[in-house]
């Protein structure tokens, strides 16, 4: 990857990480158009800049993350992240294989879009008696279980899965989105650490100065772009909900399926 490719992928990541449209799908779709070939470094780079983007949440919600007297906040995140840690470890080989299959990712994009439209309309009709209450441990656990769906079906979007999980637990749209942001921090920290260790053990040649510089540049770009993206997303869902993101997913997924057919022809 050259510097321009590094920056463009980081911008895509920063914009899409917190939107329910799958940042992984967008990066995987963009790579062939930008002339980026699959490699151990590219796979690691995509994970690392996802974590860098997610660190923007720690800055925006620093009162929650650094309120050490509220230990229940950390315990709820632990309860919610455990299902992803367990299934991520058990299904790692499957996940690595599916992440390279654009057909699967494009199909999941379309199906996830349909689900997002349906669920957004369904929950508009629901009374939300707990919207001003903090998330409970049971709710946190079920949101974590929904996050597993994003692991099993790459392209579904981690944020989409966890937001849907939050809505199913009667959280308000804002509360569901914010807990999705919070949960992303330990989830991607674990994923980044595991991926870095695996690549270091199997492909130590990846850790050359040029690649490390690209990861630093990409991480910084993704972080600052994500700062803007998070604030936009919260304002948008409060006013418009999630349906527009569902239609976008369907359109992009169908475009990618058509492109894959043309490539195969």
């Amino acid at each position: 990857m050259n510097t321009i490719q590094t920056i463009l992928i980081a911008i895509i990541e920063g914009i899409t990480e917190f939107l329910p449209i799958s940042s992984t799908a967008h990066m995987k779709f963009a790579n062939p158009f930008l002339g980026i070939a699959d490699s151990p470094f590219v796979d690691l780079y995509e994970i690392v800049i996802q974590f860098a983007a997610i660190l923007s949440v720690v800055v925006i919600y620093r009162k929650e993350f650094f309120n050490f007297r509220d230990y229940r906040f950390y315990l709820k995140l632990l309860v919610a992240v455990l299902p992803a840690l367990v299934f991520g470890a058990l299904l790692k080989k499957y996940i690595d294989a599916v992440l390279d299959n654009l057909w699967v990712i494009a199909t999941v994009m379309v199906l996830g879009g349909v689900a997002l439209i349906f669920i957004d309309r369904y929950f508009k009709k629901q009374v939300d008696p707990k919207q001003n209450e903090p998330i409970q441990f049971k709710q946190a656990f079920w949101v974590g279980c929904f996050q597993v769906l994003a692991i099993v079906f790459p392209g579904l979007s981690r944020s989409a899965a966890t937001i849907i999980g939050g809505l199913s637990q009667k959280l308000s749209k804002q509360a569901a989105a914010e807990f999705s942001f919070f949960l992303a921090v330990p989830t991607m920290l674990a994923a980044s650490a595991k991926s870095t260790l695996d690549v270091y053990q199997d492909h130590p040649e990846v850790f050359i100065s040029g690649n490390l510089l690209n990861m630093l540049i990409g991480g910084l770009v993704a972080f600052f772009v994500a700062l803007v993206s998070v604030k936009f997303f919260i304002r948008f869902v409060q006013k418009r909900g999630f349906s527009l993101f569902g239609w976008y997913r369907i359109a992009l997924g169908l475009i990618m399926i058509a492109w894959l057919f043309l490539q195969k022809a």
Side-chain angles (χ1 to χ4, degrees):
M1 292 177 70
N2 58 41
T3 304
I4 294 177
Q5 291 170 327
T6 295
I7 293 173
L8 289 175
I9 291 295
I11 291 172
I12 292 171
E13 162 57 28
I15 292 172
T16 59
E17 176 58 42
F18 297 104
L19 308 183
I21 56 177
S22 181
S23 63
T24 298
H26 280 74
M27 288 189 287
K28 294 296 184 185
F29 290 167
N31 284 344
F33 294 100
L34 295 176
I36 300 172
D38 287 337
S39 71
F41 169 70
V42 171
D43 292 339
L44 177 62
Y45 175 78
E46 291 172 352
I47 294 292
V48 169
I49 64 170
Q50 280 182 285
F51 179 59
I54 282 165
L55 286 177
S56 64
V57 168
V58 179
V59 174
I60 295 172
Y61 294 96
R62 54 190 175 277
K63 290 183 179 179
E64 286 82 359
F65 276 95
F66 296 106
N67 181 13
F68 299 113
R69 289 176 296 182
D70 184 14
Y71 67 92
R72 291 169 61 88
F73 173 77
Y74 307 105
L75 289 178
K76 289 171 186 176
L77 289 183
L78 177 62
V79 167
V81 79
L82 283 176
L85 296 181
V86 172
F87 281 90
L90 293 175
L91 302 175
K92 187 177 187 307
K93 290 184 179 180
Y94 160 81
I95 296 165
D96 291 342
V98 176
L99 279 173
D100 293 327
N101 191 324
L102 290 181
W103 287 96
V104 172
I105 293 175
T107 302
V108 173
M109 278 286 285
V110 173
L111 296 177
V114 173
L116 207 58
I117 293 169
F118 169 78
I119 287 169
D120 187 52
R121 292 179 178 177
Y122 174 78
F123 283 106
K124 276 183 180 178
K125 303 174 183 178
Q126 305 302 302
V127 176
D128 188 11
K130 300 183 179 180
Q131 67 176 25
N132 294 319
E133 296 181 10
I135 188 169
Q136 303 300 308
F137 281 98
K138 182 179 178 181
Q139 294 171 311
F141 174 76
W142 281 110
V143 172
C145 290
F146 271 82
Q147 181 171 240
V148 174
L149 295 175
I151 295 174
V152 177
F153 302 106
L156 175 59
S157 166
R158 191 206 60 79
S159 61
T162 50
I163 287 170
I164 290 170
L167 293 175
S168 75
Q169 295 301 303
K170 305 299 183 182
L171 298 180
S172 68
K173 290 178 180 178
Q174 180 176 345
E178 288 181 341
F179 190 73
S180 171
F181 300 162
F182 300 156
L183 181 54
V185 176
T187 301
M188 291 311 302
L189 174 60
S192 297
K194 183 66 167 63
S195 296
T196 301
L197 179 61
D198 289 346
V199 172
Y200 182 76
Q201 291 176 336
D202 299 334
H203 303 279
E205 71 279 3
V206 163
F207 294 87
I208 59 176
S209 59
N211 285 347
L212 294 176
L213 179 61
N214 278 342
M215 281 196 283
L216 176 61
I217 292 171
L220 289 172
V221 171
F223 172 81
F224 285 110
V225 173
L227 282 175
V228 178
S229 178
V230 171
K231 295 178 180 179
F232 159 79
F233 182 51
I234 286 295
R235 289 196 299 268
F236 186 90
V237 297
Q238 286 176 320
K239 296 179 180 179
R240 301 286 298 276
F242 303 106
S243 289
L244 185 61
F245 296 110
W247 288 112
Y248 171 83
R249 288 178 61 106
I250 293 170
L252 181 60
L254 291 175
I255 289 170
M256 284 308 304
I257 290 172
W259 179 76
L260 290 169
F261 270 115
L262 291 175
Q263 292 294 107
K264 190 176 180 180

